[in-house]
mmCIF file of all heavy atoms in Angstrom:
data_model
loop_
_atom_site.group_PDB
_atom_site.id
_atom_site.type_symbol
_atom_site.label_atom_id
_atom_site.label_comp_id
_atom_site.label_asym_id
_atom_site.label_seq_id
_atom_site.Cartn_x
_atom_site.Cartn_y
_atom_site.Cartn_z
ATOM 1 N N ASN A 1 6.957 8.691 -20.760
ATOM 2 C CA ASN A 1 7.404 7.343 -20.332
ATOM 3 C C ASN A 1 7.933 7.369 -18.899
ATOM 4 O O ASN A 1 7.591 6.466 -18.108
ATOM 5 C CB ASN A 1 8.485 6.855 -21.268
ATOM 6 C CG ASN A 1 7.989 6.511 -22.672
ATOM 7 O OD1 ASN A 1 6.762 6.369 -22.841
ATOM 8 N ND2 ASN A 1 8.843 6.403 -23.658
ATOM 9 N N ALA A 2 8.722 8.418 -18.534
ATOM 10 C CA ALA A 2 9.237 8.509 -17.175
ATOM 11 C C ALA A 2 8.102 8.691 -16.213
ATOM 12 O O ALA A 2 8.105 8.080 -15.097
ATOM 13 C CB ALA A 2 10.193 9.662 -17.086
ATOM 14 N N GLN A 3 7.123 9.478 -16.584
ATOM 15 C CA GLN A 3 5.967 9.740 -15.702
ATOM 16 C C GLN A 3 5.139 8.443 -15.530
ATOM 17 O O GLN A 3 4.659 8.163 -14.449
ATOM 18 C CB GLN A 3 5.129 10.816 -16.265
ATOM 19 C CG GLN A 3 4.031 11.329 -15.336
ATOM 20 C CD GLN A 3 3.269 12.490 -15.926
ATOM 21 O OE1 GLN A 3 2.943 12.503 -17.096
ATOM 22 N NE2 GLN A 3 2.967 13.503 -15.087
ATOM 23 N N GLN A 4 4.986 7.659 -16.582
ATOM 24 C CA GLN A 4 4.281 6.411 -16.492
ATOM 25 C C GLN A 4 4.996 5.414 -15.592
ATOM 26 O O GLN A 4 4.365 4.719 -14.743
ATOM 27 C CB GLN A 4 4.048 5.798 -17.875
ATOM 28 C CG GLN A 4 2.999 6.579 -18.675
ATOM 29 C CD GLN A 4 2.921 6.056 -20.109
ATOM 30 O OE1 GLN A 4 3.856 5.562 -20.667
ATOM 31 N NE2 GLN A 4 1.742 6.278 -20.713
ATOM 32 N N VAL A 5 6.319 5.394 -15.688
ATOM 33 C CA VAL A 5 7.078 4.495 -14.794
ATOM 34 C C VAL A 5 6.942 4.925 -13.343
ATOM 35 O O VAL A 5 6.689 4.114 -12.446
ATOM 36 C CB VAL A 5 8.592 4.528 -15.194
ATOM 37 C CG1 VAL A 5 9.478 3.899 -14.151
ATOM 38 C CG2 VAL A 5 8.796 3.805 -16.546
ATOM 39 N N GLU A 6 6.998 6.243 -13.110
ATOM 40 C CA GLU A 6 6.851 6.773 -11.742
ATOM 41 C C GLU A 6 5.447 6.472 -11.237
ATOM 42 O O GLU A 6 5.247 6.076 -10.073
ATOM 43 C CB GLU A 6 7.132 8.280 -11.726
ATOM 44 C CG GLU A 6 7.028 8.862 -10.349
ATOM 45 C CD GLU A 6 7.353 10.384 -10.317
ATOM 46 O OE1 GLU A 6 7.842 10.904 -11.289
ATOM 47 O OE2 GLU A 6 7.098 10.950 -9.291
ATOM 48 N N SER A 7 4.426 6.663 -12.088
ATOM 49 C CA SER A 7 3.005 6.391 -11.694
ATOM 50 C C SER A 7 2.872 4.917 -11.299
ATOM 51 O O SER A 7 2.173 4.584 -10.319
ATOM 52 C CB SER A 7 2.071 6.745 -12.817
ATOM 53 O OG SER A 7 2.049 8.148 -13.020
ATOM 54 N N GLN A 8 3.456 4.037 -12.114
ATOM 55 C CA GLN A 8 3.362 2.615 -11.784
ATOM 56 C C GLN A 8 4.043 2.287 -10.467
ATOM 57 O O GLN A 8 3.500 1.565 -9.599
ATOM 58 C CB GLN A 8 4.011 1.783 -12.906
ATOM 59 C CG GLN A 8 3.966 0.293 -12.626
ATOM 60 C CD GLN A 8 2.555 -0.243 -12.573
ATOM 61 O OE1 GLN A 8 1.670 0.263 -13.178
ATOM 62 N NE2 GLN A 8 2.399 -1.332 -11.855
ATOM 63 N N ALA A 9 5.207 2.930 -10.198
ATOM 64 C CA ALA A 9 5.919 2.678 -8.924
ATOM 65 C C ALA A 9 5.039 3.237 -7.757
ATOM 66 O O ALA A 9 4.947 2.584 -6.710
ATOM 67 C CB ALA A 9 7.257 3.418 -8.950
ATOM 68 N N LEU A 10 4.408 4.371 -7.952
ATOM 69 C CA LEU A 10 3.553 4.926 -6.904
ATOM 70 C C LEU A 10 2.308 4.041 -6.653
ATOM 71 O O LEU A 10 1.911 3.795 -5.534
ATOM 72 C CB LEU A 10 3.070 6.333 -7.270
ATOM 73 C CG LEU A 10 4.175 7.392 -7.181
ATOM 74 C CD1 LEU A 10 3.701 8.741 -7.731
ATOM 75 C CD2 LEU A 10 4.659 7.556 -5.768
ATOM 76 N N ARG A 11 1.740 3.472 -7.760
ATOM 77 C CA ARG A 11 0.577 2.569 -7.573
ATOM 78 C C ARG A 11 0.994 1.335 -6.789
ATOM 79 O O ARG A 11 0.272 0.873 -5.905
ATOM 80 C CB ARG A 11 0.012 2.154 -8.909
ATOM 81 C CG ARG A 11 -0.904 3.226 -9.543
ATOM 82 C CD ARG A 11 -1.679 2.668 -10.718
ATOM 83 N NE ARG A 11 -0.848 2.361 -11.862
ATOM 84 C CZ ARG A 11 -0.469 3.211 -12.810
ATOM 85 N NH1 ARG A 11 -0.881 4.483 -12.707
ATOM 86 N NH2 ARG A 11 0.319 2.888 -13.801
ATOM 87 N N GLN A 12 2.226 0.823 -7.095
ATOM 88 C CA GLN A 12 2.689 -0.331 -6.383
ATOM 89 C C GLN A 12 2.907 -0.038 -4.935
ATOM 90 O O GLN A 12 2.609 -0.830 -4.005
ATOM 91 C CB GLN A 12 3.979 -0.866 -7.019
ATOM 92 C CG GLN A 12 3.742 -1.532 -8.343
ATOM 93 C CD GLN A 12 5.022 -1.847 -9.078
ATOM 94 O OE1 GLN A 12 6.073 -1.502 -8.687
ATOM 95 N NE2 GLN A 12 4.900 -2.611 -10.219
ATOM 96 N N GLU A 13 3.488 1.169 -4.638
ATOM 97 C CA GLU A 13 3.686 1.594 -3.317
ATOM 98 C C GLU A 13 2.394 1.746 -2.522
ATOM 99 O O GLU A 13 2.236 1.365 -1.377
ATOM 100 C CB GLU A 13 4.505 2.912 -3.248
ATOM 101 C CG GLU A 13 4.760 3.472 -1.885
ATOM 102 C CD GLU A 13 5.622 2.580 -0.974
ATOM 103 O OE1 GLU A 13 6.365 1.717 -1.521
ATOM 104 O OE2 GLU A 13 5.495 2.685 0.260
ATOM 105 N N ILE A 14 1.382 2.309 -3.180
ATOM 106 C CA ILE A 14 0.063 2.459 -2.563
ATOM 107 C C ILE A 14 -0.556 1.111 -2.285
ATOM 108 O O ILE A 14 -1.093 0.887 -1.178
ATOM 109 C CB ILE A 14 -0.888 3.348 -3.475
ATOM 110 C CG1 ILE A 14 -0.430 4.781 -3.428
ATOM 111 C CG2 ILE A 14 -2.321 3.195 -3.032
ATOM 112 C CD1 ILE A 14 -1.099 5.669 -4.467
ATOM 113 N N ASP A 15 -0.415 0.183 -3.222
ATOM 114 C CA ASP A 15 -0.984 -1.176 -3.008
ATOM 115 C C ASP A 15 -0.298 -1.820 -1.843
ATOM 116 O O ASP A 15 -0.963 -2.444 -0.970
ATOM 117 C CB ASP A 15 -0.771 -2.037 -4.235
ATOM 118 C CG ASP A 15 -1.657 -1.637 -5.423
ATOM 119 O OD1 ASP A 15 -2.672 -0.917 -5.177
ATOM 120 O OD2 ASP A 15 -1.423 -2.056 -6.554
ATOM 121 N N ARG A 16 1.035 -1.699 -1.737
ATOM 122 C CA ARG A 16 1.797 -2.290 -0.653
ATOM 123 C C ARG A 16 1.341 -1.666 0.675
ATOM 124 O O ARG A 16 1.112 -2.345 1.653
ATOM 125 C CB ARG A 16 3.295 -2.083 -0.869
ATOM 126 C CG ARG A 16 4.168 -2.746 0.245
ATOM 127 C CD ARG A 16 5.604 -2.253 0.240
ATOM 128 N NE ARG A 16 5.679 -0.792 0.489
ATOM 129 C CZ ARG A 16 5.526 -0.202 1.628
ATOM 130 N NH1 ARG A 16 5.246 -0.884 2.720
ATOM 131 N NH2 ARG A 16 5.625 1.106 1.774
ATOM 132 N N SER A 17 1.250 -0.343 0.693
ATOM 133 C CA SER A 17 0.802 0.399 1.887
ATOM 134 C C SER A 17 -0.596 -0.036 2.301
ATOM 135 O O SER A 17 -0.855 -0.192 3.494
ATOM 136 C CB SER A 17 0.879 1.840 1.604
ATOM 137 O OG SER A 17 0.442 2.625 2.707
ATOM 138 N N ASP A 18 -1.489 -0.190 1.325
ATOM 139 C CA ASP A 18 -2.852 -0.618 1.605
ATOM 140 C C ASP A 18 -2.884 -1.976 2.304
ATOM 141 O O ASP A 18 -3.616 -2.251 3.221
ATOM 142 C CB ASP A 18 -3.678 -0.644 0.315
ATOM 143 C CG ASP A 18 -4.086 0.765 -0.127
ATOM 144 O OD1 ASP A 18 -3.884 1.728 0.617
ATOM 145 O OD2 ASP A 18 -4.635 0.856 -1.271
ATOM 146 N N ARG A 19 -2.046 -2.904 1.723
ATOM 147 C CA ARG A 19 -1.963 -4.229 2.341
ATOM 148 C C ARG A 19 -1.435 -4.179 3.775
ATOM 149 O O ARG A 19 -1.952 -4.830 4.681
ATOM 150 C CB ARG A 19 -1.076 -5.172 1.465
ATOM 151 C CG ARG A 19 -1.734 -5.586 0.159
ATOM 152 C CD ARG A 19 -0.917 -6.672 -0.500
ATOM 153 N NE ARG A 19 0.402 -6.298 -0.831
ATOM 154 C CZ ARG A 19 0.809 -5.643 -1.939
ATOM 155 N NH1 ARG A 19 -0.086 -5.280 -2.828
ATOM 156 N NH2 ARG A 19 2.052 -5.333 -2.120
ATOM 157 N N GLU A 20 -0.397 -3.382 3.978
ATOM 158 C CA GLU A 20 0.152 -3.223 5.327
ATOM 159 C C GLU A 20 -0.852 -2.605 6.281
ATOM 160 O O GLU A 20 -0.973 -3.054 7.431
ATOM 161 C CB GLU A 20 1.429 -2.362 5.272
ATOM 162 C CG GLU A 20 2.624 -3.045 4.685
ATOM 163 C CD GLU A 20 3.855 -2.150 4.634
ATOM 164 O OE1 GLU A 20 3.805 -0.999 5.038
ATOM 165 O OE2 GLU A 20 4.885 -2.650 4.132
ATOM 166 N N ASN A 21 -1.570 -1.621 5.793
ATOM 167 C CA ASN A 21 -2.590 -0.979 6.656
ATOM 168 C C ASN A 21 -3.714 -1.937 6.986
ATOM 169 O O ASN A 21 -4.215 -1.928 8.081
ATOM 170 C CB ASN A 21 -3.151 0.306 5.948
ATOM 171 C CG ASN A 21 -2.143 1.436 5.889
ATOM 172 O OD1 ASN A 21 -1.181 1.481 6.663
ATOM 173 N ND2 ASN A 21 -2.315 2.398 5.022
ATOM 174 N N ALA A 22 -4.114 -2.759 6.000
ATOM 175 C CA ALA A 22 -5.205 -3.726 6.222
ATOM 176 C C ALA A 22 -4.702 -4.714 7.326
ATOM 177 O O ALA A 22 -5.508 -5.079 8.187
ATOM 178 C CB ALA A 22 -5.547 -4.421 4.989
ATOM 179 N N ALA A 23 -3.440 -5.153 7.163
ATOM 180 C CA ALA A 23 -2.958 -6.111 8.156
ATOM 181 C C ALA A 23 -2.861 -5.474 9.559
ATOM 182 O O ALA A 23 -3.211 -6.103 10.544
ATOM 183 C CB ALA A 23 -1.542 -6.591 7.703
ATOM 184 N N ALA A 24 -2.402 -4.225 9.607
ATOM 185 C CA ALA A 24 -2.317 -3.544 10.904
ATOM 186 C C ALA A 24 -3.719 -3.318 11.502
ATOM 187 O O ALA A 24 -3.887 -3.485 12.733
ATOM 188 C CB ALA A 24 -1.616 -2.159 10.730
ATOM 189 N N LEU A 25 -4.694 -3.013 10.656
ATOM 190 C CA LEU A 25 -6.023 -2.819 11.143
ATOM 191 C C LEU A 25 -6.633 -4.152 11.694
ATOM 192 O O LEU A 25 -7.280 -4.172 12.711
ATOM 193 C CB LEU A 25 -6.925 -2.269 10.026
ATOM 194 C CG LEU A 25 -8.379 -1.978 10.356
ATOM 195 C CD1 LEU A 25 -8.450 -1.007 11.543
ATOM 196 C CD2 LEU A 25 -9.130 -1.493 9.196
ATOM 197 N N ALA A 26 -6.310 -5.226 10.970
ATOM 198 C CA ALA A 26 -6.810 -6.558 11.426
ATOM 199 C C ALA A 26 -6.165 -6.900 12.813
ATOM 200 O O ALA A 26 -6.837 -7.379 13.719
ATOM 201 C CB ALA A 26 -6.384 -7.605 10.399
ATOM 202 N N GLN A 27 -4.836 -6.621 12.960
ATOM 203 C CA GLN A 27 -4.220 -6.847 14.259
ATOM 204 C C GLN A 27 -4.820 -5.959 15.310
ATOM 205 O O GLN A 27 -5.078 -6.428 16.459
ATOM 206 C CB GLN A 27 -2.686 -6.549 14.182
ATOM 207 C CG GLN A 27 -1.900 -7.635 13.465
ATOM 208 C CD GLN A 27 -0.395 -7.268 13.526
ATOM 209 O OE1 GLN A 27 -0.036 -6.121 13.580
ATOM 210 N NE2 GLN A 27 0.424 -8.317 13.432
ATOM 211 N N LEU A 28 -5.007 -4.732 15.004
ATOM 212 C CA LEU A 28 -5.632 -3.837 16.004
ATOM 213 C C LEU A 28 -7.051 -4.260 16.407
ATOM 214 O O LEU A 28 -7.362 -4.242 17.573
ATOM 215 C CB LEU A 28 -5.690 -2.409 15.412
ATOM 216 C CG LEU A 28 -6.182 -1.286 16.335
ATOM 217 C CD1 LEU A 28 -5.420 -1.202 17.584
ATOM 218 C CD2 LEU A 28 -6.194 0.069 15.584
ATOM 219 N N THR A 29 -7.786 -4.709 15.399
ATOM 220 C CA THR A 29 -9.144 -5.203 15.711
ATOM 221 C C THR A 29 -9.063 -6.474 16.624
ATOM 222 O O THR A 29 -9.831 -6.550 17.576
ATOM 223 C CB THR A 29 -9.872 -5.589 14.389
ATOM 224 O OG1 THR A 29 -9.934 -4.399 13.589
ATOM 225 C CG2 THR A 29 -11.285 -6.104 14.661
ATOM 226 N N GLU A 30 -8.120 -7.341 16.353
ATOM 227 C CA GLU A 30 -7.966 -8.498 17.220
ATOM 228 C C GLU A 30 -7.626 -8.089 18.663
ATOM 229 O O GLU A 30 -8.132 -8.618 19.592
ATOM 230 C CB GLU A 30 -6.877 -9.381 16.649
ATOM 231 C CG GLU A 30 -7.270 -10.167 15.391
ATOM 232 C CD GLU A 30 -6.064 -10.937 14.825
ATOM 233 O OE1 GLU A 30 -5.075 -11.117 15.492
ATOM 234 O OE2 GLU A 30 -6.221 -11.389 13.660
ATOM 235 N N ARG A 31 -6.735 -7.099 18.767
ATOM 236 C CA ARG A 31 -6.346 -6.638 20.122
ATOM 237 C C ARG A 31 -7.503 -6.013 20.850
ATOM 238 O O ARG A 31 -7.671 -6.187 22.051
ATOM 239 C CB ARG A 31 -5.168 -5.675 20.014
ATOM 240 C CG ARG A 31 -3.860 -6.366 19.575
ATOM 241 C CD ARG A 31 -2.770 -5.348 19.419
ATOM 242 N NE ARG A 31 -1.536 -6.017 18.945
ATOM 243 C CZ ARG A 31 -0.447 -5.355 18.600
ATOM 244 N NH1 ARG A 31 -0.461 -4.024 18.647
ATOM 245 N NH2 ARG A 31 0.559 -6.028 18.148
ATOM 246 N N VAL A 32 -8.258 -5.165 20.117
ATOM 247 C CA VAL A 32 -9.419 -4.564 20.760
ATOM 248 C C VAL A 32 -10.440 -5.633 21.157
ATOM 249 O O VAL A 32 -10.985 -5.557 22.306
ATOM 250 C CB VAL A 32 -10.083 -3.524 19.753
ATOM 251 C CG1 VAL A 32 -11.454 -3.074 20.291
ATOM 252 C CG2 VAL A 32 -9.179 -2.336 19.590
#
């Protein structure tokens, strides 16, 4: 159960990071 909670938190963190990276890439593309 603890591992599943941690895995879910990591998945959420990865999703958040992916969204931030996509936004940063879009900004970088606009600047280029």
Side-chain angles (χ1 to χ4, degrees):
N1 290 342
Q3 190 175 42
Q4 287 173 333
V5 167
E6 183 178 349
S7 292
Q8 180 63 29
L10 288 172
R11 279 192 293 275
Q12 290 173 351
E13 177 63 23
I14 288 170
D15 288 345
R16 183 195 60 76
S17 177
D18 285 350
R19 286 190 302 275
E20 287 178 1
N21 288 341
L25 182 58
Q27 282 183 334
L28 182 58
T29 301
E30 289 174 13
R31 290 176 183 173
V32 168

